[in-house]
Amino acid sequence: MSSMEYSKLWLDWRRISDAPDFMKTICAEAHSAQGKAALSELREGFVAMTGDEPAILSECSGACLHMVETDDTGEGYAFSAQGESLRLEGGPRGLLYGAFDLLRGLAVGKRCFNGSAAPRYPLRMLDHWDNMDGSVERGYAGNSFFFEDGRILNGPRIRDYARLLASCGINGCCINNVNVKAEAVRLMTPKHWPALAELARTLEEYGVGLWLSVSFAAPMELGGLETADPMDERVCRWWADTTAALYNAVPNLGGFLVKADSEGRPGPFTYGRTQAEGANMLARALAKQGGKLLWRCFVYNCTQDWRDTRTDRARAQCDHFAPLDGHFDDNVLLQIKNGPVDFQPREPVSPLFGRLERTSSIIEFQIAQEYTGQQKHLCCLIPMFRDILQFRLYHRPGNDRVADTVSAVCAVSNMGRDFNWTGHDLAGANLYGFGRLGWNPDLTAEEIVREYTVLSFGDDPKITETLLPMQLSSRAVYEKYTAPLGIGWMVNPNHHYGPNPDGYEYDRWGTYHRATNTEIGVERGPRGTGYTMQYRLPLSAIYADIDTCPEELLLFFHRLPYTYIMKDGRTLIQRVYDDHFEGCAAAEEFARKWEELEPLLPQDVFERVRLRFDEQCRSAREWRDVINSWFFRRSGIPDVHGREIY
Ligand code: GCW
């Protein structure tokens, strides 16, 4: 262990019992880089699982794994059992995913493989908010493994990164922060292209495409123009020429990701142009190279006056983008965060997904736990991601779930250079699970977390029995001890860790609870900001009516008195108190349960997570007491159980 520089995460194959005979011999015809990678994964995996080196032959007669590379350019693969032998067939990329599927299956106890598989979405991508100085915006797992001191890195760790991605189904990564700063703007200059080309080759071996975040103002920052107006001929030419030259150097680039007119980033609004005019100009430069444009919809007024009660930030994305449906070029995907505001622990699904009939979209999740405990708290996001993908939008008859509507999935990465890649040894589940859901959004959270747990920590039933319920309930627990009932944002400004009920209340960011001594929340129904009307029926009606609005979102949608009676007869404020006591107690129970695993886990893993739980318990108590006391001091209403509130 100590000789390792970093963990293998779920690729740490363990010995298996009753290894099938086909693991002794691999009969392979692999020509492509990915086919060869698949073969090397299988070989290594079989060695680790059986203790024996498999024979690698080009022809064989007895029991074997027969790996057949076809010229299929897709990502699908097929297994067929033939007596004691197993045949795995696919194109180069298909073989890669088939190989990992086989290894994963063997490791979790599967012995029969049959049938075919293919990913649900053609693009399943990870967005890194890495800066070229090596820092990572909202990074909780150490510095970047892509950049250091303005340079692009490559080597074994990048290769292992690509293996991790491929093994859970992710096939793209955008390596630099959407807030394109300083040296990163220069990724669009030839100086960095040889290194980018090499990086792209390393990733490509594992089927992972390279993408770049670009600055909308690049024609000014790099091209010497005095404008970045998308309707200006010189601007169009600069982008077309630069993109062509870049693709000449890095031919397999996926495309660009753009954060424009968002939180101070430059964009088409500066020139009185629409989001579609801005996006299409870049899309045309990319189309000639076969590239795609991911255009973020995180566009809202971030210099709001807190006294202004008419502007509702939740409305912004639909207000800006719904009227533009059908105005975007074919190679544009609108990148939409899962909720209307910003990755809070509980938000409704963004109504924009149901408003785009003629525009492709890519859903953006945040695996980085910016608002969900920063990889110090256990907060498994997989049940939430799955619920969102399964959510019905009612925008068309049949196939109306988010999963049926989006054309691709992406997530903000939680990875960094730390030994365990994700800061918390249990947070790898979020990365793994995102990949698995992107491959197949119908997998259950339980299946996914079970796989992750067995692959990462072994198949001792005590480990699974302990960790599985803990992971699956952890987001609900986090939700209970933090900001209540969908209200969000009661966090410390800037770094977003820990409780601060008024932290964003008198600020410019448009995230207000507007609490008085008698009531709290923003009314978002038709008599309020009208946000609920951005949804289709019946959702718009369900959310608008306090009697049908899901309780966990009550304070997202409505302004209510503390004495409002919930469905179970408790007052709203009593529900807040109860949730906070229960959530905190549940976090303490996690920590206690973890202690029981000490004899079953490697000491270093056990100790790292134990320290995380210490911090989670401390922080959960802080949340409980700050939130409860704040509500008590505002309302003057005591806890009916007389528990300690300060
Ligand atoms: O939630 C906010 C984060 C910013 C981030 C922004 C975004 C990259 O606090 O750090 O900037 O979202 O998604 O663009």
Side-chain angles (χ1 to χ4, degrees):
M1 202 82 180
S2 54
S3 64
M4 263 161 56
E5 281 170 57
Y6 48 85
S7 158
K8 296 182 176 176
L9 295 184
W10 56 84
L11 293 179
D12 192 6
W13 310 116
R14 291 171 176 73
R15 276 298 174 90
I16 58 170
S17 51
D18 62 313
D21 278 349
F22 67 70
M23 293 179 80
K24 293 195 183 111
T25 311
I26 305 177
C27 179
E29 305 155 17
H31 319 291
S32 63
Q34 293 90 1
K36 287 179 184 148
L39 177 58
S40 108
E41 292 298 329
L42 287 168
R43 195 198 63 79
E44 267 181 55
F46 286 5
V47 171
M49 289 190 214
T50 65
D52 292 321
E53 186 75 46
I56 312 262
L57 308 171
S58 52
E59 263 176 62
C60 55
S61 46
C64 71
L65 173 68
H66 194 184
M67 194 179 102
V68 184
E69 183 172 324
T70 68
D71 51 15
D72 186 353
T73 54
E75 297 178 300
Y77 56 89
F79 289 116
S80 50
Q82 298 168 338
E84 295 298 292
S85 293
L86 180 67
R87 183 181 164 93
L88 165 61
E89 183 175 322
R93 283 156 212 269
L95 286 184
L96 200 52
Y97 297 117
F100 282 120
D101 188 7
L102 177 59
L103 291 167
R104 169 172 64 232
L106 289 165
V108 300
K110 197 168 151 184
R111 293 295 175 265
C112 286
F113 297 86
N114 240 325
S116 57
R120 178 60 186 263
Y121 305 105
L123 179 61
R124 310 168 300 279
M125 147 149 174
L126 213 53
D127 290 356
H128 294 261
W129 289 352
D130 294 18
N131 302 314
M132 288 196 74
D133 63 4
S135 63
V136 178
E137 182 157 343
R138 311 307 177 187
Y140 313 106
N143 272 359
S144 171
F145 42 72
F146 286 120
F147 304 112
E148 192 176 63
D149 301 332
R151 286 176 306 117
I152 299 167
L153 306 177
N154 208 334
R157 185 140 196 181
I158 301 291
R159 184 168 177 275
D160 283 327
Y161 160 82
R163 295 175 60 227
L164 286 167
L165 262 53
S167 68
C168 66
I170 299 171
N171 72 351
C173 65
C174 184
I175 56 171
N176 65 309
N177 192 351
V178 286
N179 293 326
V180 188
K181 290 182 262 189
E183 186 63 21
V185 175
R186 305 187 69 80
L187 287 171
M188 293 293 283
T189 62
K191 162 183 171 191
H192 288 300
W193 295 349
L196 281 179
E198 247 180 72
L199 176 62
R201 264 195 300 277
T202 307
L203 297 169
E204 179 66 17
E205 196 189 335
Y206 280 87
V208 178
L210 174 67
W211 295 69
L212 293 177
S213 292
V214 300
S215 164
F216 197 80
M220 301 165 75
E221 294 160 316
L222 301 173
L225 299 178
E226 76 283 3
T227 178
D229 181 352
M231 304 305 254
D232 187 303
E233 261 306 301
R234 294 163 304 163
V235 171
C236 300
R237 207 173 324 117
W238 186 88
W239 278 109
D241 292 347
T242 308
T243 306
L246 170 62
Y247 267 82
N248 196 33
V250 191
N252 50 356
L253 197 72
F256 299 153
L257 169 60
V258 185
K259 172 177 179 177
D261 290 315
S262 169
E263 302 188 327
R265 303 303 305 159
F269 283 169
T270 313
Y271 309 97
R273 309 301 181 189
T274 68
Q275 293 294 298
E277 286 166 333
N280 290 340
M281 180 275 294
L282 285 175
R284 281 164 202 157
L286 282 160
K288 294 189 195 118
Q289 316 304 328
K292 287 196 168 26
L293 179 72
L294 307 175
W295 186 265
R296 286 177 103 225
C297 297
F298 190 52
V299 178
Y300 69 98
N301 176 6
C302 70
T303 55
Q304 190 176 333
D305 184 336
W306 59 269
R307 300 166 193 86
D308 162 14
T309 53
R310 291 213 308 275
T311 307
D312 178 7
R313 173 168 165 185
R315 293 187 53 119
Q317 305 190 29
C318 261
D319 284 347
H320 286 304
F321 287 92
L324 295 176
D325 183 26
H327 292 239
F328 292 89
D329 284 9
D330 286 348
N331 62 332
V332 178
L333 283 89
L334 292 186
Q335 183 158 318
I336 308 169
K337 290 190 182 189
N338 62 263
V341 185
D342 192 7
F343 298 137
Q344 296 304 291
R346 171 74 68 176
E347 279 186 50
V349 169
S350 175
L352 185 53
F353 294 111
R355 299 290 295 277
L356 302 173
E357 311 279 341
R358 289 165 296 141
T359 306
S360 301
S361 62
I362 173 167
I363 187 169
E364 179 176 333
F365 294 108
Q366 192 183 39
I367 310 176
Q369 292 173 237
E370 177 177 0
Y371 298 99
T372 51
Q374 306 198 348
Q375 286 128 256
K376 296 187 176 79
H377 296 228
L378 174 65
C379 188
C380 175
L381 301 165
I382 302 314
M384 175 170 93
F385 293 171
R386 185 178 191 277
D387 287 351
I388 292 166
L389 288 165
Q390 296 292 326
F391 185 80
R392 290 186 65 189
L393 299 158
Y394 298 95
H395 59 314
R396 59 190 183 206
N399 292 338
D400 64 352
R401 300 170 310 164
V402 171
D404 309 314
T405 305
V406 297
S407 318
V409 294
C410 68
V412 181
S413 153
N414 62 353
M415 303 179 87
R417 267 197 202 194
D418 275 3
F419 177 85
N420 62 7
W421 299 82
T422 61
H424 191 312
D425 287 76
L426 302 178
N430 288 331
L431 174 64
Y432 179 82
F434 163 72
R436 299 286 286 134
L437 281 176
W439 182 276
N440 178 3
D442 294 322
L443 293 172
T444 67
E446 180 173 341
E447 282 173 81
I448 294 172
V449 177
R450 185 184 293 279
E451 277 175 13
Y452 170 78
T453 306
V454 172
L455 295 177
S456 309
F457 306 111
D459 63 358
D460 188 312
K462 164 87 180 166
I463 296 179
T464 317
E465 278 159 28
T466 307
L467 291 185
L468 190 58
M470 208 145 113
Q471 287 269 24
L472 292 175
S473 65
S474 58
R475 194 196 61 93
V477 166
Y478 185 82
E479 185 178 13
K480 275 189 168 183
Y481 62 73
T482 54
L485 304 170
I487 198 133
W489 293 103
M490 292 183 159
V491 292
N492 284 308
N494 307 319
H495 61 72
H496 300 161
Y497 189 73
N500 188 342
D502 286 325
Y504 276 105
E505 194 55 16
Y506 306 101
D507 217 327
R508 63 185 175 93
W509 298 96
T511 55
Y512 313 113
H513 55 64
R514 306 205 184 274
T516 65
N517 288 350
T518 53
E519 52 188 22
I520 183 168
V522 169
E523 179 56 43
R524 293 196 158 110
R527 280 171 294 106
T529 69
Y531 166 77
T532 57
M533 293 186 290
Q534 294 185 335
Y535 292 92
R536 310 280 178 164
L537 278 169
L539 295 174
S540 51
I542 289 171
Y543 289 143
D545 182 345
I546 46 174
D547 291 329
T548 51
C549 180
E551 286 198 329
E552 66 273 14
L553 284 166
L554 212 47
L555 291 179
F556 185 93
F557 284 106
H558 298 288
R559 179 166 182 80
L560 289 168
Y562 300 122
T563 51
Y564 174 77
I565 306 292
M566 307 287 285
K567 291 200 182 79
D568 62 7
R570 283 183 288 177
T571 58
L572 186 143
I573 191 127
Q574 190 57 41
R575 166 73 186 268
V576 172
Y577 295 149
D578 290 348
D579 277 5
H580 283 76
F581 285 111
E582 284 165 23
C584 187
E588 286 167 346
E589 181 65 8
F590 288 168
R592 204 193 54 71
K593 289 237 167 223
W594 180 256
E595 295 294 323
E596 293 174 10
L597 299 182
E598 177 160 20
L600 304 175
L601 292 168
Q603 196 58 24
D604 62 331
V605 173
F606 175 76
E607 283 300 337
R608 274 197 303 272
V609 175
R610 193 219 306 255
L611 291 175
R612 290 306 196 207
F613 276 129
D614 284 351
E615 167 54 17
Q616 179 168 1
C617 289
R618 185 208 62 77
S619 175
R621 286 190 284 269
E622 187 75 0
W623 270 102
R624 177 194 65 194
D625 293 339
V626 170
I627 297 291
N628 281 348
S629 299
W630 184 85
F631 273 88
F632 172 62
R633 290 177 188 188
R634 283 253 166 205
S635 68
I637 303 172
D639 169 38
V640 295
H641 303 297
R643 287 164 293 193
E644 239 170 331
I645 296 183
Y646 303 85

